[in-house]
Amino acid sequence: MRAPSTAPAAGAEPPRDCPLCPRLAGFRAHWRAQEPGWHNAPVPSFGPSDARLLIVGLAPGLRGANRTGRPFTGDYAGELLYQTLLDFGFATGRFEARPDDSLVLTQARITNAVRCVPPENKPTTDEMKTCRPFLSGTLAALPRLAAVVALGKIAHDQVVAAHGLRLSHYKFAHGARHALGPITLFDSYHCSRYNTNTGVLTPEMFRAVFASVRRFLDTGV
Ligand code: SF4
């Protein structure tokens, strides 16, 4: 069996000093000066290039992926996401919130709709649009891709737009499922601490989405 590769495909990964969003490049520079030991750069996708599932988040958290360099690693959102991926057979090993832990993704790849950390976790509409070609490149670089999980409405909108489809025809709703050509898009509320603390998203609600994805990938239903 061919070993999974984590090498990015051309067009899927921005350069470390990507200048396309001046506000975000400035924010990165600020944090490089403040915290030179942090990643402070576009966060690359994580997971095998033969993945059948792509999980799309919003953007790196300042002290999470922006610090560690791995999506959903180092802040609360990763705790729920990676435990769920382990439970549903999309990962092996042990998640310890650091990039050199033993966690390995199997069949799943994780990316963000916006690759650089935005101030207050809020990218602008222009920044989302500017970063979208890297999401398109990520989608195009997964030849076995069958399912996408969008974590939150922004990720959902970015995935729909990356397919050249009209947002008005594909409404975000937790638990919704949309056919985007050969790919099926599954929507979930984002697994942020805010959403889980306020009860917007419970672990059971999150698990139900991944149970549907698992069933879809295993049986086509
Ligand atoms: S958010 Fe995307 S397009 Fe903007 S600077 Fe970062 S990598 Fe480049």
Side-chain angles (χ1 to χ4, degrees), residues 46-75:
F46 172 47
S49 59
D50 60 354
R52 299 180 67 209
L53 168 64
L54 180 69
I55 298 156
V56 183
L58 168 57
L62 178 63
R63 291 177 173 76
N66 176 67
R67 175 174 61 85
T68 64
R70 192 175 76 177
F72 289 90
T73 299
D75 55 15

Side-chain angles (χ1 to χ4, degrees), residues 105-128:
L105 293 181
T106 53
Q107 302 180 16
R109 192 163 171 87
I110 305 178
T111 195
N112 277 312
V114 174
R115 299 298 190 90
C116 294
V117 57
E120 298 175 8
N121 265 344
K122 287 186 182 143
T124 66
T125 305
D126 277 354
E127 288 159 355
M128 294 176 213

